[in-house]
């Protein structure tokens, strides 16, 4: 078993909303920033007939990702260690791309005191630019009508809702709305310009750490 961070498990609700036939259809899934492997192993169970490519660009982190994928025991996971731009060779290949993006880490303040010392406004700005580059590089690999899930462990609007707006301004997308029960403690927010529905997780309201997630469908350009 894998004890995944509780807030991150909301990914399953997004999958079930966007892919009601996820358990029986051979979808192709990319977990772009996959280490240490919590979401990748979760996705491999959600898509038992599909293919899950678990990618981690940082070589020192890809080892633990491989170890956890092997321990999980499913034969539908492939571990890679590529820069997002390398996936340009697979244009329109993936039905789902999950980008749990590198971020300033403010959502980890309760869990990791060191995250407080590492946080700065300059790091937020750096991460925002990096997140945009990652999304722009990986976008061609998502097929038309495919799903993009974007998440961070940051509380910063600049890295969260503003990135959702950036996606909407940069690419043809429609927002996927997930039903949320009031007793789950999840805070629903909206991006300032596009009014895309987003989901925030605060440690005082959920049994997990700080987290942000939103979901988009890549529109068919011919439609």
């Amino acid at each position: 078993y894998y004890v995944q961070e509780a807030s991150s498990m909301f990914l399953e609700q997004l999958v079930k909303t966007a892919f009601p036939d996820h358990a029986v259809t051979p979808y192709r899934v990319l977990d772009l920033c996959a280490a240490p492997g919590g979401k990748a192993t979760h996705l491999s169970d959600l898509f038992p007939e599909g293919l899950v490519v678990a990618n981690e660009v940082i070589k020192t982190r890809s080892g633990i990702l491989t170890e956890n994928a092997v321990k999980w025991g499913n034969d539908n996971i492939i571990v890679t260690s590529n820069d997002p731009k390398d996936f340009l060779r697979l244009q329109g290949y993936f039905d789902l791309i999950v980008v749990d993006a590198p971020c300033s880490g403010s959502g980890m303040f309760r869990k990791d005191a060191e995250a407080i010392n590492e946080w700065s406004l300059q790091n937020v700005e750096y991460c925002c630019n990096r997140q945009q580059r990652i999304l722009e590089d990986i976008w061609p690999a998502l097929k038309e009508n495919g799903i993009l899930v974007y998440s961070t462990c940051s509380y910063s609007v600049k890295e969260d809702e503003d990135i959702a707006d950036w996606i909407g301004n940069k690419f043809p997308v429609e927002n996927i709305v997930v039903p949320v029960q009031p007793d789950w403690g999840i805070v629903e927010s909206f991006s300032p310009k596009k009014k895309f529905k987003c989901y925030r997780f605060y440690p005082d309201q959920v049994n997990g750490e700080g987290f942000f997630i939103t979901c988009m469908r890549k529109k068919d350009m011919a439609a």
Side-chain angles (χ1 to χ4, degrees):
Y1 62 92
Y2 191 113
V3 182
Q4 186 180 180
E5 204 290 304
S7 299
S8 298
M9 295 181 72
F10 186 69
L11 174 64
E12 181 168 333
Q13 305 304 317
L14 299 180
V15 168
K16 289 180 176 179
T17 299
F19 299 95
D21 57 346
H22 62 92
V24 296
T25 303
Y27 288 114
R28 294 187 291 245
V29 178
L30 172 62
D31 185 359
L32 186 65
C33 311
K39 293 182 182 64
T41 51
H42 195 180
L43 289 165
S44 75
D45 276 0
L46 290 170
F47 293 93
E49 301 300 321
L51 169 69
V52 177
V53 177
N55 182 75
E56 177 55 54
V57 66
I58 301 173
K59 300 291 185 181
T60 55
R61 289 169 55 85
S62 62
I64 187 64
L65 171 61
T66 300
E67 182 181 340
N68 284 329
V70 170
K71 287 179 178 178
W72 198 246
N74 289 351
D75 61 2
N76 62 342
I77 306 178
I78 295 176
V79 175
T80 60
S81 185
N82 291 84
D83 190 86
K85 65 177 180 295
D86 294 337
F87 290 95
L88 286 171
R89 290 173 286 181
L90 295 176
Q91 293 202 23
Y93 184 79
F94 293 103
D95 299 282
L96 167 64
I97 296 179
V98 177
V99 180
D100 188 30
C103 67
S104 62
S106 50
M108 295 291 104
F109 281 179
R110 181 180 71 165
K111 180 180 179 180
D112 182 7
E114 187 61 30
I116 301 174
N117 299 327
E118 295 175 355
W119 188 92
S120 68
L121 290 175
Q122 291 80 4
N123 193 30
V124 169
E125 185 67 31
Y126 169 79
C127 289
C128 176
N129 292 331
R130 187 182 185 189
Q131 290 151 3
Q132 291 176 17
R133 181 189 68 80
I134 290 171
L135 290 164
E136 189 163 18
D137 284 346
I138 201 61
W139 188 255
L142 182 64
K143 67 169 50 176
E144 290 185 344
N145 296 312
I147 300 297
L148 172 74
V149 172
Y150 174 77
S151 63
T152 73
C153 57
S154 171
Y155 296 132
S156 170
V157 171
K158 195 172 185 64
E159 297 176 81
D160 295 342
E161 287 86 357
D162 283 357
I163 292 291
D165 273 339
W166 180 89
I167 294 170
N169 288 327
K170 188 76 176 179
F171 309 111
V173 298
E174 62 182 359
N175 188 210
I176 302 295
V177 176
V178 182
V180 173
Q181 299 298 324
D183 61 351
W184 290 357
I186 299 168
V187 175
E188 297 176 274
S189 65
F190 293 89
S191 64
K193 296 178 181 178
K194 296 288 186 177
K195 304 304 179 184
F196 289 152
K197 178 71 72 69
C198 306
Y199 306 90
R200 283 176 165 262
F201 298 71
Y202 294 100
D204 64 324
Q205 299 184 52
V206 300
N207 293 320
E209 302 305 321
F211 188 61
F212 168 90
I213 196 166
T214 191
C215 187
M216 314 283 182
R217 185 186 304 278
K218 184 177 184 177
K219 286 185 179 178
D220 187 340
M221 294 295 290

